[in-house]
Coordinates of all heavy atoms in Angstrom, one line a residue:
M22 N -93.4 -132.8 84.1 CA -93.4 -134.2 83.9 C -93.0 -134.5 82.5 O -93.4 -133.8 81.6 CB -94.7 -134.8 84.3 CG -95.0 -134.8 85.7 SD -96.5 -135.7 86.3 CE -96.9 -136.8 85.0
R23 N -92.2 -135.5 82.3 CA -91.9 -135.9 81.0 C -93.1 -136.6 80.3 O -93.8 -137.3 80.9 CB -90.7 -136.8 81.0 CG -89.4 -136.1 81.5 CD -88.3 -137.1 81.9 NE -88.6 -137.9 83.0 CZ -87.8 -138.8 83.6 NH1 -86.6 -138.9 83.1 NH2 -88.2 -139.5 84.7
P24 N -93.2 -136.3 79.0 CA -94.5 -136.7 78.3 C -94.5 -138.2 77.8 O -95.5 -138.7 77.6 CB -94.6 -135.8 77.1 CG -93.1 -135.4 76.8 CD -92.4 -135.4 78.2
A25 N -93.3 -138.8 77.6 CA -93.3 -140.1 77.0 C -93.1 -141.2 78.1 O -92.3 -141.0 79.0 CB -92.2 -140.2 76.0
E26 N -93.8 -142.3 77.9 CA -93.6 -143.5 78.8 C -92.2 -144.1 78.5 O -91.7 -144.0 77.4 CB -94.7 -144.5 78.6 CG -96.1 -143.9 78.9 CD -96.3 -143.6 80.4 OE1 -95.4 -143.8 81.2 OE2 -97.4 -143.0 80.6
P27 N -91.5 -144.7 79.4 CA -92.0 -144.9 80.8 C -91.7 -143.8 81.8 O -92.1 -143.8 82.9 CB -91.3 -146.2 81.2 CG -90.0 -146.1 80.5 CD -90.3 -145.4 79.1
A28 N -91.0 -142.8 81.3 CA -90.6 -141.7 82.2 C -91.8 -141.0 82.7 O -91.8 -140.5 83.9 CB -89.7 -140.7 81.4
R29 N -92.9 -140.9 81.9 CA -94.1 -140.3 82.4 C -94.6 -141.0 83.6 O -95.1 -140.3 84.6 CB -95.1 -140.2 81.3 CG -96.4 -139.5 81.7 CD -97.3 -139.4 80.5 NE -98.5 -138.6 80.8 CZ -99.6 -139.1 81.3 NH1 -99.7 -140.4 81.5 NH2 -100.6 -138.3 81.5
L30 N -94.6 -142.3 83.6 CA -95.1 -143.1 84.8 C -94.3 -142.8 86.0 O -94.8 -142.6 87.1 CB -95.2 -144.5 84.5 CG -95.5 -145.5 85.6 CD1 -96.9 -145.1 86.2 CD2 -95.5 -146.9 85.2
L31 N -93.0 -142.8 85.8 CA -92.1 -142.5 86.9 C -92.4 -141.1 87.5 O -92.5 -141.0 88.7 CB -90.6 -142.6 86.5 CG -89.6 -142.2 87.6 CD1 -89.7 -143.1 88.8 CD2 -88.2 -142.3 87.0
D32 N -92.5 -140.1 86.7 CA -92.7 -138.8 87.1 C -94.1 -138.7 87.8 O -94.2 -138.0 88.8 CB -92.6 -137.8 86.0 CG -91.2 -137.6 85.5 OD1 -90.3 -138.1 86.1 OD2 -91.0 -136.8 84.5
T33 N -95.1 -139.4 87.3 CA -96.4 -139.4 87.9 C -96.3 -139.9 89.3 O -96.9 -139.3 90.3 CB -97.4 -140.2 87.1 OG1 -97.5 -139.6 85.8 CG2 -98.8 -140.2 87.7
L34 N -95.7 -141.1 89.5 CA -95.5 -141.7 90.8 C -94.8 -140.7 91.8 O -95.2 -140.6 92.9 CB -94.8 -143.0 90.7 CG -95.6 -144.1 90.0 CD1 -94.6 -145.3 89.7 CD2 -96.8 -144.6 90.8
L35 N -93.8 -140.1 91.3 CA -93.0 -139.2 92.1 C -93.7 -137.9 92.5 O -93.5 -137.4 93.6 CB -91.6 -139.0 91.5 CG -90.8 -140.3 91.4 CD1 -89.4 -139.9 90.7 CD2 -90.6 -140.9 92.7
C36 N -94.5 -137.4 91.5 CA -95.3 -136.2 91.8 C -96.3 -136.6 92.9 O -96.6 -135.8 93.8 CB -96.0 -135.7 90.6 SG -94.9 -134.8 89.5
C37 N -96.9 -137.8 92.8 CA -97.8 -138.2 93.9 C -97.1 -138.3 95.2 O -97.6 -138.0 96.2 CB -98.4 -139.6 93.5 SG -99.6 -139.5 92.1
A38 N -95.9 -138.8 95.2 CA -95.1 -138.9 96.4 C -94.9 -137.5 97.0 O -94.9 -137.3 98.2 CB -93.7 -139.6 96.1
L39 N -94.6 -136.5 96.2 CA -94.4 -135.2 96.7 C -95.7 -134.6 97.2 O -95.7 -133.9 98.3 CB -93.9 -134.3 95.5 CG -92.4 -134.5 95.1 CD1 -92.1 -133.7 93.9 CD2 -91.5 -134.2 96.3
I40 N -96.8 -134.9 96.6 CA -98.1 -134.4 97.1 C -98.3 -135.0 98.5 O -98.7 -134.3 99.5 CB -99.2 -134.8 96.2 CG1 -99.1 -133.9 94.9 CG2 -100.6 -134.6 96.8 CD1 -100.0 -134.4 93.8
E41 N -98.0 -136.3 98.7 CA -98.2 -136.9 100.0 C -97.2 -136.3 101.0 O -97.6 -136.1 102.2 CB -98.0 -138.4 99.9 CG -99.0 -139.1 99.0 CD -100.4 -139.1 99.4 OE1 -100.7 -138.8 100.6 OE2 -101.3 -139.3 98.6
A42 N -96.0 -136.0 100.6 CA -95.0 -135.4 101.5 C -95.5 -134.0 102.0 O -95.4 -133.7 103.2 CB -93.7 -135.3 100.8
R43 N -96.1 -133.3 101.1 CA -96.6 -131.9 101.5 C -97.8 -132.1 102.4 O -98.0 -131.3 103.4 CB -97.0 -131.1 100.3 CG -95.9 -130.8 99.3 CD -94.7 -130.2 99.9 NE -93.5 -130.3 99.1 CZ -92.5 -131.1 99.4 NH1 -92.4 -131.7 100.5 NH2 -91.5 -131.2 98.5
S44 N -98.7 -133.1 102.2 CA -99.8 -133.3 103.1 C -99.2 -133.7 104.5 O -99.7 -133.3 105.5 CB -100.7 -134.5 102.6 OG -101.3 -134.1 101.4
C45 N -98.2 -134.5 104.5 CA -97.5 -134.9 105.7 C -97.0 -133.6 106.5 O -97.2 -133.5 107.7 CB -96.3 -135.8 105.4 SG -95.6 -136.6 106.8
E46 N -96.4 -132.7 105.8 CA -95.9 -131.5 106.4 C -97.1 -130.7 107.0 O -97.0 -130.1 108.1 CB -95.2 -130.6 105.4 CG -93.9 -131.3 105.0 CD -93.3 -130.6 103.7 OE1 -93.9 -129.7 103.1 OE2 -92.1 -131.0 103.4
R47 N -98.2 -130.6 106.3 CA -99.3 -129.8 106.8 C -99.9 -130.5 108.1 O -100.2 -129.8 109.0 CB -100.4 -129.7 105.7 CG -100.1 -128.7 104.7 CD -101.3 -128.4 103.8 NE -101.7 -129.5 102.9 CZ -101.1 -129.7 101.8 NH1 -100.1 -128.9 101.3 NH2 -101.4 -130.8 101.0
M48 N -100.0 -131.8 108.0 CA -100.5 -132.5 109.2 C -99.6 -132.3 110.4 O -100.0 -132.2 111.6 CB -100.7 -134.0 108.9 CG -101.7 -134.3 107.9 SD -103.3 -133.6 108.1 CE -103.7 -133.0 106.5
K49 N -98.3 -132.3 110.2 CA -97.3 -132.1 111.2 C -97.5 -130.7 111.9 O -97.5 -130.6 113.1 CB -95.9 -132.3 110.7 CG -94.8 -132.1 111.7 CD -93.4 -132.4 111.1 CE -92.3 -132.4 112.1 NZ -92.1 -131.2 112.9
L50 N -97.6 -129.7 111.0 CA -97.8 -128.4 111.5 C -99.1 -128.3 112.4 O -99.1 -127.7 113.5 CB -97.9 -127.3 110.4 CG -96.6 -127.1 109.7 CD1 -96.8 -126.2 108.4 CD2 -95.6 -126.4 110.6
L51 N -100.2 -128.9 111.9 CA -101.4 -128.8 112.6 C -101.3 -129.6 113.9 O -101.7 -129.1 115.0 CB -102.5 -129.5 111.8 CG -103.1 -128.6 110.6 CD1 -103.9 -129.4 109.7 CD2 -103.8 -127.4 111.2
S52 N -100.7 -130.8 113.9 CA -100.6 -131.6 115.1 C -99.7 -130.9 116.2 O -99.9 -131.1 117.4 CB -100.0 -133.0 114.8 OG -98.6 -132.9 114.5
E53 N -98.8 -130.1 115.7 CA -97.9 -129.4 116.7 C -98.5 -128.1 117.2 O -98.0 -127.6 118.3 CB -96.5 -129.1 116.0 CG -95.7 -130.4 115.7 CD -94.4 -130.1 115.0 OE1 -94.3 -129.0 114.4 OE2 -93.6 -131.0 114.9
Q54 N -99.4 -127.5 116.5 CA -99.9 -126.2 116.9 C -101.2 -126.1 117.5 O -101.6 -125.1 118.1 CB -99.9 -125.3 115.6 CG -98.5 -125.1 115.0 CD -97.5 -124.4 115.9 OE1 -97.9 -123.5 116.7 NE2 -96.3 -124.9 116.0
L55 N -102.0 -127.2 117.3 CA -103.4 -127.2 117.8 C -103.4 -127.3 119.4 O -102.7 -128.1 119.9 CB -104.2 -128.3 117.3 CG -104.6 -128.1 115.8 CD1 -105.2 -129.4 115.2 CD2 -105.7 -127.0 115.7
P56 N -104.1 -126.4 120.0 CA -104.2 -126.4 121.5 C -105.0 -127.6 122.0 O -104.9 -128.1 123.1 CB -104.8 -125.1 121.9 CG -105.5 -124.6 120.7 CD -104.8 -125.2 119.5
D57 N -105.9 -128.1 121.2 CA -106.8 -129.2 121.5 C -106.1 -130.5 121.4 O -105.7 -130.9 120.3 CB -108.1 -129.2 120.6 CG -109.1 -130.3 120.9 OD1 -108.6 -131.4 121.2 OD2 -110.3 -130.0 120.8
A58 N -105.8 -131.1 122.5 CA -104.9 -132.4 122.5 C -105.5 -133.5 121.6 O -104.8 -134.2 120.9 CB -104.6 -132.8 123.9
E59 N -106.8 -133.6 121.7 CA -107.5 -134.7 121.0 C -107.4 -134.5 119.5 O -107.1 -135.4 118.7 CB -109.0 -134.8 121.4 CG -109.7 -136.0 120.8 CD -111.1 -136.1 121.4 OE1 -111.4 -135.6 122.4 OE2 -111.9 -136.8 120.7
L60 N -107.6 -133.2 119.1 CA -107.5 -132.9 117.7 C -106.1 -133.0 117.2 O -105.8 -133.5 116.1 CB -108.1 -131.5 117.5 CG -108.5 -131.1 116.1 CD1 -109.5 -132.1 115.5 CD2 -109.2 -129.7 116.1
A61 N -105.2 -132.6 118.0 CA -103.7 -132.6 117.7 C -103.3 -134.1 117.4 O -102.6 -134.4 116.5 CB -102.9 -132.0 118.8
A62 N -103.8 -135.0 118.3 CA -103.5 -136.4 118.1 C -104.1 -137.0 116.9 O -103.5 -137.8 116.2 CB -104.1 -137.2 119.3
F63 N -105.3 -136.5 116.5 CA -106.0 -136.9 115.3 C -105.1 -136.5 114.1 O -104.8 -137.4 113.2 CB -107.3 -136.2 115.1 CG -108.0 -136.4 113.8 CD1 -108.6 -137.7 113.5 CD2 -108.1 -135.4 112.9 CE1 -109.2 -137.8 112.2 CE2 -108.7 -135.6 111.6 CZ -109.2 -136.8 111.3
Y64 N -104.6 -135.3 114.1 CA -103.7 -134.9 112.9 C -102.4 -135.6 113.0 O -101.8 -135.8 111.9 CB -103.6 -133.4 112.9 CG -104.8 -132.7 112.3 CD1 -105.7 -132.0 113.1 CD2 -105.0 -132.7 111.0 CE1 -106.8 -131.4 112.6 CE2 -106.2 -132.1 110.4 CZ -107.1 -131.5 111.2 OH -108.2 -130.9 110.7
K65 N -101.9 -135.9 114.1 CA -100.7 -136.7 114.2 C -100.8 -138.1 113.6 O -100.0 -138.6 112.9 CB -100.2 -136.8 115.7 CG -98.8 -137.3 115.8 CD -98.3 -137.2 117.2 CE -96.9 -137.7 117.3 NZ -96.4 -137.6 118.7
G66 N -102.0 -138.6 113.8 CA -102.3 -139.9 113.1 C -102.4 -139.8 111.6 O -101.9 -140.7 110.9
L67 N -103.0 -138.7 111.2 CA -103.0 -138.4 109.7 C -101.6 -138.2 109.2 O -101.3 -138.6 108.0 CB -103.9 -137.2 109.4 CG -105.4 -137.4 109.6 CD1 -106.1 -136.1 109.3 CD2 -105.9 -138.6 108.8
L68 N -100.8 -137.6 109.9 CA -99.4 -137.4 109.6 C -98.7 -138.7 109.2 O -98.0 -138.9 108.2 CB -98.6 -136.7 110.7 CG -97.2 -136.2 110.6 CD1 -96.8 -135.3 111.7 CD2 -96.2 -137.4 110.5
A69 N -98.9 -139.7 110.1 CA -98.3 -141.0 109.9 C -98.9 -141.7 108.6 O -98.1 -142.3 107.9 CB -98.6 -141.9 111.1
C70 N -100.2 -141.5 108.4 CA -100.8 -142.0 107.1 C -100.2 -141.4 105.9 O -99.8 -142.1 104.9 CB -102.3 -141.7 107.1 SG -103.2 -142.6 108.4
E71 N -100.0 -140.1 105.9 CA -99.4 -139.4 104.8 C -98.0 -139.8 104.5 O -97.6 -139.9 103.4 CB -99.6 -137.9 104.9 CG -101.0 -137.3 105.1 CD -101.9 -137.6 104.0 OE1 -101.5 -138.2 103.0 OE2 -103.1 -137.2 104.1
A72 N -97.3 -140.0 105.6 CA -95.9 -140.5 105.5 C -95.8 -141.8 104.8 O -95.0 -142.1 103.9 CB -95.2 -140.5 106.8
R73 N -96.8 -142.7 105.2 CA -96.8 -144.0 104.6 C -97.2 -143.9 103.1 O -96.6 -144.6 102.3 CB -97.9 -144.9 105.3 CG -97.4 -145.5 106.6 CD -98.3 -146.6 107.1 NE -99.6 -146.2 107.3 CZ -100.1 -145.6 108.5 NH1 -99.3 -145.5 109.5 NH2 -101.3 -145.2 108.6
H74 N -98.1 -143.0 102.8 CA -98.5 -142.9 101.4 C -97.3 -142.4 100.6 O -97.1 -142.9 99.4 CB -99.6 -141.8 101.2 CG -100.9 -142.2 102.0 ND1 -101.9 -141.3 102.3 CD2 -101.3 -143.4 102.4 CE1 -102.9 -141.9 102.9 NE2 -102.5 -143.2 103.0
H75 N -96.5 -141.5 101.1 CA -95.3 -141.0 100.4 C -94.4 -142.2 100.1 O -93.9 -142.4 99.0 CB -94.6 -140.0 101.3 CG -93.2 -139.6 100.8 ND1 -93.0 -138.8 99.7 CD2 -92.0 -140.0 101.2 CE1 -91.7 -138.7 99.5 NE2 -91.1 -139.4 100.4
R76 N -94.1 -143.0 101.2 CA -93.2 -144.1 101.0 C -93.8 -145.1 100.0 O -93.0 -145.7 99.2 CB -93.0 -144.8 102.3 CG -91.9 -144.1 103.2 CD -91.5 -145.0 104.3 NE -92.6 -145.5 105.1 CZ -93.1 -144.9 106.2 NH1 -92.6 -143.7 106.5 NH2 -94.1 -145.4 106.9
V77 N -95.1 -145.3 100.0 CA -95.6 -146.3 99.0 C -95.4 -145.9 97.6 O -95.0 -146.7 96.8 CB -97.2 -146.5 99.3 CG1 -97.8 -147.1 98.1 CG2 -97.4 -147.2 100.5
Y78 N -95.6 -144.6 97.3 CA -95.3 -144.1 95.9 C -93.8 -144.3 95.6 O -93.5 -144.7 94.4 CB -95.8 -142.7 95.8 CG -97.3 -142.5 95.5 CD1 -98.1 -141.9 96.4 CD2 -97.8 -143.0 94.3 CE1 -99.5 -141.8 96.2 CE2 -99.2 -142.9 94.1 CZ -100.0 -142.3 95.1 OH -101.3 -142.2 94.8
V79 N -93.0 -143.9 96.5 CA -91.5 -144.0 96.2 C -91.1 -145.5 96.0 O -90.4 -145.8 95.0 CB -90.7 -143.3 97.3 CG1 -89.2 -143.6 97.1 CG2 -91.0 -141.8 97.3
E80 N -91.6 -146.3 96.9 CA -91.2 -147.7 96.8 C -91.8 -148.4 95.6 O -91.2 -149.3 95.0 CB -91.6 -148.5 98.1 CG -90.8 -148.1 99.3 CD -89.3 -148.2 99.1 OE1 -88.8 -149.2 98.5 OE2 -88.6 -147.2 99.5
L81 N -93.0 -148.0 95.2 CA -93.6 -148.5 93.9 C -92.7 -148.1 92.7 O -92.5 -148.9 91.8 CB -95.0 -148.0 93.8 CG -95.8 -148.5 92.6 CD1 -95.8 -150.1 92.5 CD2 -97.2 -148.0 92.6
A82 N -92.3 -146.9 92.8 CA -91.4 -146.4 91.7 C -90.1 -147.2 91.6 O -89.7 -147.6 90.5 CB -91.1 -144.9 91.8
V83 N -89.5 -147.4 92.8 CA -88.3 -148.2 92.8 C -88.6 -149.6 92.3 O -87.8 -150.2 91.6 CB -87.7 -148.2 94.3 CG1 -86.6 -149.2 94.4 CG2 -87.2 -146.8 94.6
E84 N -89.7 -150.2 92.8 CA -90.0 -151.6 92.4 C -90.2 -151.7 90.8 O -89.7 -152.6 90.2 CB -91.3 -152.0 93.1 CG -91.6 -153.5 92.9 CD -92.8 -153.9 93.7 OE1 -92.9 -153.5 94.9 OE2 -93.7 -154.7 93.2
L85 N -90.9 -150.7 90.3 CA -91.1 -150.7 88.8 C -89.9 -150.4 88.0 O -89.7 -150.9 86.9 CB -92.3 -149.8 88.5 CG -93.7 -150.2 89.0 CD1 -94.7 -149.1 88.7 CD2 -94.1 -151.5 88.3
F86 N -89.1 -149.5 88.5 CA -88.0 -148.9 87.7 C -86.6 -149.5 88.1 O -85.7 -149.4 87.3 CB -88.0 -147.4 87.7 CG -89.2 -146.9 86.9 CD1 -90.4 -146.7 87.5 CD2 -89.1 -146.7 85.5 CE1 -91.5 -146.2 86.8 CE2 -90.2 -146.2 84.8 CZ -91.4 -146.0 85.4
G87 N -86.6 -150.1 89.3 CA -85.4 -150.9 89.6 C -84.2 -150.1 90.2 O -83.4 -150.7 90.9
D88 N -83.9 -148.9 89.8 CA -82.7 -148.2 90.1 C -83.1 -147.2 91.2 O -83.5 -146.1 90.9 CB -82.1 -147.6 88.9 CG -80.8 -146.9 89.2 OD1 -80.5 -146.6 90.3 OD2 -80.1 -146.7 88.2
R89 N -82.8 -147.6 92.5 CA -83.2 -146.7 93.6 C -82.5 -145.3 93.5 O -83.2 -144.3 93.7 CB -82.9 -147.3 94.9 CG -83.2 -146.4 96.2 CD -82.9 -147.2 97.5 NE -83.9 -148.2 97.7 CZ -85.2 -148.0 98.2 NH1 -85.5 -146.8 98.6 NH2 -86.0 -149.0 98.3
D90 N -81.2 -145.3 93.2 CA -80.5 -144.0 93.1 C -81.1 -143.1 92.0 O -81.3 -141.9 92.2 CB -79.0 -144.3 92.8 CG -78.3 -144.9 94.1 OD1 -78.9 -144.7 95.2 OD2 -77.3 -145.4 93.9
A91 N -81.5 -143.7 90.9 CA -82.0 -142.9 89.8 C -83.4 -142.4 90.2 O -83.8 -141.2 89.9 CB -82.1 -143.8 88.5
V92 N -84.2 -143.2 90.8 CA -85.6 -142.8 91.3 C -85.4 -141.7 92.3 O -86.1 -140.6 92.2 CB -86.3 -144.0 91.9 CG1 -87.6 -143.5 92.6 CG2 -86.7 -145.0 90.8
L93 N -84.6 -141.8 93.3 CA -84.4 -140.8 94.3 C -83.8 -139.5 93.7 O -84.1 -138.4 94.1 CB -83.6 -141.3 95.4 CG -84.2 -142.5 96.2 CD1 -83.3 -142.9 97.4 CD2 -85.6 -142.1 96.7
G94 N -82.9 -139.7 92.7 CA -82.4 -138.5 92.0 C -83.5 -137.7 91.3 O -83.5 -136.5 91.3
R95 N -84.4 -138.5 90.6 CA -85.5 -137.8 89.9 C -86.4 -137.2 90.9 O -86.9 -136.1 90.6 CB -86.2 -138.8 89.0 CG -87.3 -138.2 88.2 CD -86.8 -137.1 87.2 NE -87.9 -136.6 86.5 CZ -87.9 -135.4 85.9 NH1 -86.9 -134.6 85.9 NH2 -89.0 -135.0 85.2
L96 N -86.7 -137.8 92.0 CA -87.5 -137.2 93.0 C -86.9 -135.9 93.5 O -87.7 -134.9 93.7 CB -87.7 -138.2 94.2 CG -88.5 -137.7 95.4 CD1 -90.0 -137.4 95.0 CD2 -88.5 -138.7 96.5
E97 N -85.6 -135.9 93.7 CA -85.0 -134.6 94.1 C -85.1 -133.5 93.0 O -85.4 -132.4 93.3 CB -83.5 -134.9 94.4 CG -82.7 -133.7 94.9 CD -83.3 -133.1 96.2 OE1 -83.8 -133.9 97.0 OE2 -83.2 -131.9 96.4
E98 N -85.0 -133.9 91.7 CA -85.2 -133.0 90.6 C -86.6 -132.4 90.7 O -86.7 -131.2 90.5 CB -84.9 -133.6 89.3 CG -83.5 -134.0 89.0 CD -83.3 -134.7 87.7 OE1 -84.3 -134.9 86.9 OE2 -82.2 -135.2 87.4
L99 N -87.5 -133.2 90.8 CA -88.9 -132.8 90.9 C -89.2 -131.9 92.1 O -89.9 -130.9 92.0 CB -89.9 -133.9 90.8 CG -89.9 -134.7 89.5 CD1 -90.7 -136.0 89.6 CD2 -90.5 -133.9 88.4
A100 N -88.6 -132.2 93.2 CA -88.8 -131.4 94.4 C -88.1 -130.0 94.2 O -88.7 -129.0 94.6 CB -88.2 -132.1 95.6
E101 N -87.0 -130.0 93.5 CA -86.4 -128.7 93.2 C -87.2 -127.9 92.3 O -87.4 -126.6 92.5 CB -85.0 -128.9 92.6 CG -84.0 -129.4 93.7 CD -82.6 -129.8 93.0 OE1 -82.4 -129.5 91.8 OE2 -81.8 -130.5 93.7
H102 N -87.8 -128.5 91.3 CA -88.7 -127.8 90.4 C -89.9 -127.2 91.2 O -90.3 -126.1 91.0 CB -89.2 -128.7 89.3 CG -90.1 -128.0 88.3 ND1 -89.7 -127.1 87.4 CD2 -91.5 -128.2 88.2 CE1 -90.8 -126.6 86.8 NE2 -91.9 -127.3 87.2
E103 N -90.5 -128.1 92.0 CA -91.6 -127.6 92.8 C -91.2 -126.4 93.6 O -92.0 -125.4 93.7 CB -92.0 -128.8 93.8 CG -93.1 -128.4 94.8 CD -93.2 -129.4 95.9 OE1 -92.2 -129.9 96.4 OE2 -94.4 -129.6 96.3
A104 N -90.1 -126.4 94.2 CA -89.6 -125.2 95.1 C -89.5 -124.0 94.2 O -89.9 -122.9 94.6 CB -88.3 -125.6 95.7
Q105 N -89.0 -124.2 93.0 CA -88.9 -123.0 92.1 C -90.2 -122.4 91.7 O -90.4 -121.2 91.7 CB -88.1 -123.4 90.8 CG -86.6 -123.6 91.1 CD -86.0 -124.2 89.8 OE1 -86.6 -124.5 88.8 NE2 -84.7 -124.3 89.9
V106 N -91.2 -123.3 91.4 CA -92.5 -122.9 91.0 C -93.2 -122.1 92.2 O -93.8 -121.1 92.0 CB -93.4 -124.1 90.6 CG1 -94.9 -123.7 90.5 CG2 -92.9 -124.7 89.3
L107 N -93.1 -122.7 93.4 CA -93.7 -122.1 94.6 C -93.0 -120.8 95.0 O -93.7 -119.9 95.6 CB -93.7 -123.1 95.8 CG -94.6 -124.3 95.6 CD1 -94.4 -125.2 96.8 CD2 -96.0 -123.9 95.4
A108 N -91.8 -120.6 94.6 CA -91.1 -119.4 94.9 C -91.5 -118.2 94.0 O -91.3 -117.0 94.4 CB -89.5 -119.6 94.8
E109 N -92.1 -118.5 92.9 CA -92.5 -117.5 92.0 C -93.9 -117.0 92.4 O -94.8 -117.7 92.8 CB -92.7 -118.1 90.5 CG -91.4 -118.6 90.0 CD -91.6 -119.3 88.7 OE1 -92.7 -119.4 88.2 OE2 -90.6 -119.8 88.1
P110 N -94.0 -115.7 92.4 CA -95.4 -115.1 92.7 C -96.4 -115.5 91.7 O -96.1 -115.7 90.5 CB -95.2 -113.6 92.6 CG -93.9 -113.4 92.0 CD -93.1 -114.7 92.0
S111 N -97.6 -115.8 92.2 CA -98.7 -116.2 91.3 C -100.0 -115.4 91.6 O -100.3 -115.2 92.8 CB -99.0 -117.7 91.5 OG -100.2 -118.0 90.8
P112 N -100.6 -114.9 90.6 CA -101.9 -114.1 90.8 C -103.0 -115.1 91.1 O -104.1 -114.6 91.5 CB -102.1 -113.4 89.5 CG -101.4 -114.3 88.4 CD -100.3 -114.9 89.2
L113 N -102.8 -116.4 90.9 CA -103.9 -117.3 91.1 C -103.9 -117.9 92.6 O -102.8 -118.1 93.1 CB -103.8 -118.5 90.1 CG -103.8 -118.1 88.6 CD1 -103.5 -119.3 87.8 CD2 -105.2 -117.5 88.3
A114 N -105.0 -118.2 93.1 CA -105.1 -118.9 94.4 C -104.6 -120.3 94.2 O -104.8 -120.9 93.2 CB -106.5 -118.9 94.9
R115 N -103.9 -120.8 95.2 CA -103.3 -122.1 95.2 C -103.8 -122.9 96.4 O -103.6 -122.5 97.5 CB -101.8 -122.1 95.2 CG -101.2 -121.4 94.0 CD -99.7 -121.4 94.3 NE -99.0 -120.8 93.1 CZ -97.7 -120.5 93.1 NH1 -97.0 -120.7 94.2 NH2 -97.1 -120.0 92.1
L116 N -104.5 -124.0 96.1 CA -105.0 -124.8 97.1 C -103.9 -125.6 97.8 O -103.9 -125.8 99.0 CB -106.1 -125.7 96.6 CG -106.8 -126.6 97.6 CD1 -107.5 -125.7 98.6 CD2 -107.8 -127.5 96.9
H117 N -103.0 -126.1 97.0 CA -101.9 -126.9 97.6 C -100.6 -126.1 97.6 O -99.5 -126.7 97.3 CB -101.7 -128.2 96.8 CG -102.7 -129.2 97.2 ND1 -102.5 -130.0 98.3 CD2 -103.9 -129.6 96.7 CE1 -103.6 -130.8 98.4 NE2 -104.4 -130.6 97.5
A118 N -100.6 -124.9 97.8 CA -99.4 -124.1 97.9 C -98.9 -123.8 99.3 O -99.7 -123.9 100.2 CB -99.5 -122.8 97.1
Ligands
FE2_26 FE1 -102.4 -139.3 101.5

């Protein structure tokens, strides 16, 4: 994340959006793999919630910063950085990896 405002705020919002997107992916996997239909439906509902949370952070960033293309471009940059970090081996346990 960039250290100086207002870029720091934009990066914070977009990192939050990425966290929500990853939660969404986990809920999708659970909802598709669980043999218990009731539990699968529960996680499918959470999937929808996480997707909304992702959109809220992105839309808030667009509302505050005004330039949708620039916001989405920065989101892509942060997602690429995230992918690079996760591709590197780590000796530490990762809760959100
Ligand atoms: Fe969430």
Side-chain angles (χ1 to χ4, degrees):
M22 289 184 23
R23 293 169 292 184
E26 300 294 355
R29 183 174 184 272
L30 174 57
L31 176 59
D32 288 357
T33 298
L34 292 169
L35 296 179
C36 283
C37 290
L39 288 173
I40 290 168
E41 298 296 341
R43 300 304 163 247
S44 295
C45 189
E46 292 167 354
R47 283 191 289 278
M48 297 308 139
K49 182 177 188 300
L50 289 172
L51 286 168
S52 71
E53 292 175 347
Q54 298 299 320
L55 285 169
D57 181 321
E59 187 176 339
L60 200 52
F63 172 75
Y64 281 105
K65 193 171 183 178
L67 291 179
L68 184 168
C70 293
E71 302 298 0
R73 282 193 301 273
H74 298 163
H75 169 75
R76 278 195 306 274
V77 164
Y78 279 113
V79 172
E80 291 307 317
L81 183 57
V83 169
E84 188 174 319
L85 290 173
F86 290 89
D88 185 339
R89 177 174 291 277
D90 289 340
V92 167
L93 296 180
R95 182 61 179 159
L96 180 61
E97 184 62 31
E98 287 176 7
L99 291 170
E101 288 172 10
H102 177 72
E103 174 195 38
Q105 289 174 354
V106 169
L107 292 177
E109 296 172 3
S111 172
L113 301 174
R115 295 176 176 171
L116 186 59
H117 278 280

